[in-house]
Amino acid sequence: MKAFDIIIAGGGASGLAAAIEAKRTDKAKRVAVLEHLPRVGKKILATGNGRCNLGNLNAPNHPYTNANFTAEIMSQYSAQSLIEFFESIGLYVRSDSEGRLYPHSNTAAAVLDALRFECENLGVELICDFKVTAIKKEKNFAINGEYLARKVIIACGGKSAPSQGSDGSGYPLLKGLGHRITPLAPSLVQLVTDTAKTKALKGVRAAASLTLSSGGSSKGEILFTDYGISGIAAMDLSRFVKAEAAAQISLDFACDYSLNKLETAIINIAKHNPSLPIDNLLSGFVPKALSAAITKAALGYLPKSAAEIGKKQAKRIAEEMKSFTVALKGTKSFSDAQVTKGGADVSQFNEETLESKKCHGLYACGEILDVDGACGGFNLAWAFASGRTAGKNAAIS
């Protein structure tokens, strides 16, 4: 069997970062990445709609799942540290108004190439078309009976977007080495809702504040679809969906306005132009189709014009606009999800080194751990920070 000092199972963002950090920490270490797809980093190419939102300036203070566990690592590997890491491998990064980090080239391929070429430059062996199915620990780790390693880093990702490499195969590997896996669910995924109130809204985009009756909220753009709601705010809200809990989603399309102020505005619009077609009543706030849907939901019918809107009707419409409620049926599947909610129980890993407390010499990083964040580069920020942490500490000892 061919022997290495460190073997990394998974050639995604966290795995490649781990490999680079391990070799930089100790150039003499023999490091290999085992990837089951024909090429490393396929999922990186799909992030940020092909632009790769690779981090966020606000990541160190982000409320990740199990934020107490992530705090030390995200503090040590700050946004500036991530920017400097990429500059050191020839990739330059810019931030947008919301703190999201992108490569200057605006292409995800540039991110993957920088990581891949740095691995090759450092002498990391990238072994593709190799699926890790068994890891046995005696004095060293034996992988599939073909490779030996003193240290192993599990960086296989979760179950989201299986076509891009995250097929859940890392969970049984960790379970076989004594680790617990918390319940898994798709996250950063579209919401499936009752569409009785929204059938005519397919393709309509709007800004809204969303509140889940079972707990959780988000704010941003949504997109109505034939199955429910998509868009950044909807996907962020999916982090809080509990499969066992029936829930309602309340959408506020005028979160900058109090109910009284909104009611007054609607009355004034109707008085100013009584001949205004009713589906234009709220078009100063929301798209025309949504204006009609809100008015119909509030009144139970669509008046012909604004002349029919009095104080009573204005109050109902304002209330509906502030709380447009739809029943949640669930979410789309792992195939549509950006990340996985749940994973390896973080209490069984050292929060400073990411070494297993159950199996000496075993590390885990990235999405396979029970850590997830919102849209905006937070999950890739965790992947790179945790990968660098695992790689560095695996190389030290």
Side-chain angles (χ1 to χ4, degrees):
M1 288 190 286
K2 189 171 183 178
F4 293 90
D5 294 297
I6 302 169
I7 282 182
I8 300 157
S14 64
L16 295 176
I20 291 169
E21 202 69 28
K23 285 294 285 186
R24 286 182 168 184
T25 301
D26 187 345
K27 290 182 173 60
K29 288 286 193 294
R30 297 162 298 167
V31 178
V33 173
L34 304 179
E35 168 57 48
H36 73 97
L37 292 180
R39 187 182 179 190
V40 297
K42 184 176 180 180
K43 194 172 181 180
I44 294 173
L45 297 176
T47 58
N49 293 319
R51 296 187 298 144
C52 193
N53 178 192
L54 54 84
N56 196 296
L57 295 176
N58 304 307
N61 299 314
H62 184 65
Y64 288 97
T65 301
N66 290 313
N68 290 338
F69 179 81
T70 66
E72 175 64 27
I73 289 171
M74 294 309 298
S75 174
Q76 182 178 356
Y77 291 97
S78 64
Q80 185 58 37
S81 173
L82 179 61
I83 292 169
E84 291 171 357
F85 169 77
F86 274 108
E87 287 183 355
S88 75
I89 60 176
L91 187 90
Y92 289 81
V93 175
R94 63 174 181 83
S95 62
D96 67 8
S97 60
E98 295 185 25
R100 293 173 294 206
L101 299 176
Y102 292 94
H104 262 286
S105 64
N106 239 19
T107 60
V111 178
L112 175 56
D113 284 345
L115 293 166
R116 183 167 56 87
F117 291 147
E118 183 65 8
C119 282
E120 293 173 358
N121 179 54
L122 290 169
V124 174
E125 194 162 338
L126 301 178
I127 302 170
C128 297
D129 287 314
F130 187 95
K131 188 176 182 69
V132 178
T133 57
I135 300 177
K136 294 183 179 179
K137 173 70 187 295
E138 293 178 357
K139 181 179 179 182
N140 292 311
F141 293 91
I143 293 124
N144 288 23
E146 296 185 44
Y147 295 101
L148 284 176
R150 291 180 56 248
K151 306 287 182 63
V152 166
I153 301 173
I154 304 296
C156 299
K159 291 184 69 176
S160 59
S163 64
Q164 295 164 6
S166 300
D167 61 358
S169 59
Y171 299 122
L173 297 177
L174 284 174
K175 287 177 74 173
L177 294 166
H179 281 272
R180 289 191 300 271
I181 307 299
T182 66
L184 307 173
S187 187
L188 301 193
V189 67
Q190 303 90 337
L191 303 172
V192 179
T193 70
D194 181 87
T195 57
K197 291 168 67 173
T198 61
K199 285 180 182 177
L201 297 177
K202 181 180 177 181
V204 173
R205 295 180 183 272
S209 175
L210 288 69
T211 303
L212 197 61
S213 61
S214 56
S217 62
S218 65
K219 185 178 180 181
E221 186 180 75
I222 63 166
L223 169 67
F224 288 101
T225 68
D226 56 356
Y227 57 78
I229 310 173
S230 185
I232 291 175
M235 297 178 82
D236 277 340
L237 194 70
S238 71
R239 296 181 62 208
F240 306 103
V241 172
K242 300 177 178 65
E244 70 280 2
Q248 302 278 326
I249 303 172
S250 175
L251 298 96
D252 182 350
F253 296 108
C255 50
D256 294 332
Y257 283 75
S258 68
L259 184 61
N260 288 339
K261 187 176 179 180
L262 185 59
E263 181 183 340
T264 299
I266 294 169
I267 291 171
N268 289 338
I269 292 169
K271 282 183 177 180
H272 177 73
N273 190 355
S275 62
L276 186 72
I278 198 64
D279 52 359
N280 287 102
L281 180 68
L282 306 175
S283 59
F285 294 98
V286 295
K288 184 176 176 179
L290 182 53
S291 172
I294 291 170
T295 304
K296 184 176 181 180
L299 304 181
Y301 68 100
L302 268 180
K304 290 183 178 180
S305 70
E308 300 178 47
I309 303 301
K311 186 175 176 64
K312 181 179 179 181
Q313 290 82 7
K315 182 178 180 181
R316 289 180 180 175
I317 293 168
E319 288 172 343
E320 188 69 27
M321 192 169 176
K322 294 288 289 178
S323 184
F324 186 86
T325 304
V326 293
L328 178 68
K329 292 184 174 180
T331 71
K332 298 286 271 184
S333 69
F334 280 110
S335 296
D336 301 291
Q338 292 184 17
V339 300
T340 303
K341 179 167 61 177
D345 186 341
V346 296
S347 70
Q348 297 183 325
F349 290 87
N350 184 302
E351 63 187 26
E352 295 182 358
T353 66
L354 295 182
E355 184 175 15
S356 167
K357 296 177 181 178
K358 308 290 289 185
C359 181
H360 178 66
L362 176 70
Y363 298 76
C365 58
E367 191 180 344
I368 198 163
L369 292 166
D370 185 8
V371 173
D372 66 273
C375 294
F378 298 106
N379 291 289
L380 268 182
W382 166 249
F384 290 125
S386 61
R388 293 170 69 193
T389 298
K392 177 182 179 179
N393 286 284
I396 287 174
S397 53

